Amino acid sequence: MTDSPRAFGLSLPEYPWEAMAPYRRTAQQHPDGVVDLSIGTPVDPTPLVVQDALAAAADAPGYPTTHGTAALREAIVGWYARRRGVAGLSPEQVMPTVGSKELVAWLPLLLGLRAGDVVVRPTVAYPTYDIGAQIAGAEHVAADDLDELDDDVRSRVRLVWVNSPGNPTGIVRSAESLKKLVDQARALGAVVASDECYAELGWGDWDVERGGTRVPSVLDPEVSGGDLSLLLSAYSLSKQSNLAGYRAAFLAGDPELMKDLVNSRKHAGMIVPAPVQAAMQTALNDDAHVAAQKALYRGRRERLLPALQSFGLAVEHSEAGLYLWCRPTGSQEDTWNTVGRFADLGIVVGPGVFYGDAGSGYVRVSLTGSDERIDAAVHRLNGA
């Protein structure tokens, strides 16, 4: 008698957003239409300057380069110096990726993690950090400080994810806080990968256009000490430039890690299409459209935040990014009850439980609605 054949597939958890189907159906019945403030997909037009660059590069019969064109990598290096305060990067230390989610999901495997290794991610976090660990066969644990871990777990940490500004919380970690985490990880010989996709969208004290401080990067000399070993910074153009449909992102950092990652991605065929690389180059060299888009989000945030408060929610953190992280005031209401109350108003929001146990009781409300839809949400939340 032979053993039963082993099942095929990765056996990953069901994609969490499928659980939103009944709430979406309820919201869609609203007579004034649904207001979808859940997933956070950009709704404003891709800037014409970027569209034109994509069209101009449409004649692309040959294979693109995995490492990125020289012009694109120079644009990435220039952007880090100009926008993130990270000077002196070499074009060899950067590369484009097929969106940032692809990078997050595959980075543990590409770094060679395996069973017994540990990936650390924030206590409230984007779920793909855990999925990436699972794909590699590694363990994942939630912690915001490596001192929270016991000795056995600490000894097996190989990758630490930091997300600042955070999704969904909007928390921004100071340079001092990032440096502490980097020092802890380096003492263990672990890589720190910093997901910085919302860095251009700081508010209040982090709103540069209003006199605030720039959101620090893990590659900033104040954090790295001028040494980029074991450090990686990821960034996406989806949010700042409305390029979610282009799948346009990039990675920068440790030159030795980058060399191996580029080689592995060549073998795996992880290549950003040539026209998209050209569009990325243009987007990175044009700051005007970024400021214009941020102004739209700033206005939406300023209208939506007080409306959420009038609906009986406390908005916590949310210092940067595209989301408002909320919970009912004066009660311990279940996340799904809150989601249901929004759905009854024709508004779809993100359940906090999608982001880990610490997200229980919270909802995430996105700023990615058109001005007309944001105003409709404000009207409903204010009870008019």
Side-chain angles (χ1 to χ4, degrees), residues 20-298:
M20 287 297 297
Y23 300 94
R24 291 186 184 280
R25 286 194 293 270
T26 297
Q28 288 163 356
Q29 295 171 11
H30 193 280
D32 185 39
V34 65
V35 179
D36 193 342
L37 305 179
S38 60
I39 292 178
T41 186
V43 299
D44 299 305
T46 299
L48 287 176
V49 65
V50 180
Q51 293 188 46
D52 290 344
L54 182 79
D59 183 15
Y63 290 112
T65 169
T66 300
H67 199 179
T69 64
L72 170 57
R73 286 185 283 130
E74 289 286 359
I76 294 171
V77 167
W79 179 85
Y80 268 103
R82 188 175 73 253
R83 305 296 298 184
R84 306 308 315 281
V86 180
L89 283 177
S90 159
E92 299 303 308
Q93 293 175 260
V94 303
M95 70 171 171
T97 64
V98 189
S100 59
K101 185 171 186 176
E102 169 259 298
L103 173 74
V104 171
W106 291 105
L107 185 62
L109 183 67
L110 294 176
L111 288 175
L113 271 64
R114 54 182 64 90
D117 292 337
V118 170
V119 176
V120 180
R121 52 86 166 167
T123 52
V124 182
Y126 184 51
T128 309
Y129 303 128
D130 289 351
I131 295 298
Q134 289 177 252
I135 289 173
E139 298 175 31
H140 53 83
V141 299
D144 296 315
D145 186 314
L146 300 189
D147 287 343
E148 300 170 13
L149 306 176
D150 64 40
D151 290 343
D152 172 65
V153 172
R154 280 173 56 89
S155 70
R156 295 184 290 116
V157 172
R158 296 282 286 161
L159 174 62
V160 179
W161 279 107
V162 60
N163 181 208
S164 176
N167 171 18
T169 61
I171 291 173
V172 177
R173 296 186 67 146
S174 67
E176 180 182 11
S177 169
L178 287 172
K179 183 180 186 304
K180 178 183 177 184
L181 187 66
V182 166
D183 290 345
Q184 290 175 328
R186 280 178 167 164
L188 301 174
V191 172
V192 177
S194 180
D195 180 349
E196 302 174 357
C197 293
Y198 298 91
E200 291 277 17
L201 295 169
W203 313 116
D205 291 342
W206 302 104
D207 192 341
V208 175
E209 288 80 5
R210 296 288 177 88
T213 302
R214 177 170 52 207
V215 171
S217 169
V218 75
L219 305 184
D220 188 301
E222 288 188 38
V223 177
S224 69
D227 173 13
L228 300 190
S229 62
L230 298 178
L231 302 182
L232 296 170
S233 163
Y235 192 76
S236 168
L237 298 183
S238 295
K239 284 76 181 177
Q240 73 158 49
S241 301
N242 298 330
L243 294 187
Y246 285 46
R247 311 314 301 134
F250 50 88
L251 186 70
D254 183 322
E256 293 305 313
L257 290 178
M258 196 65 62
K259 186 185 305 181
D260 188 75
L261 288 169
V262 170
N263 183 59
S264 296
R265 292 174 69 87
K266 286 178 180 179
H267 283 293
M270 294 177 172
I271 310 172
V272 177
V276 175
Q277 293 194 33
M280 290 176 66
Q281 176 190 335
T282 294
L284 287 164
N285 286 329
D286 180 75
D287 294 338
H289 78 273
V290 181
Q293 184 61 47
K294 182 174 180 179
L296 288 175
Y297 285 135
R298 185 188 293 109

Side-chain angles (χ1 to χ4, degrees), residues 336-355:
W336 292 106
N337 287 343
T338 309
V339 171
R341 289 199 292 122
F342 274 95
D344 290 340
L345 295 179
I347 303 170
V348 185
V349 298
V353 292
F354 284 0
Y355 305 95

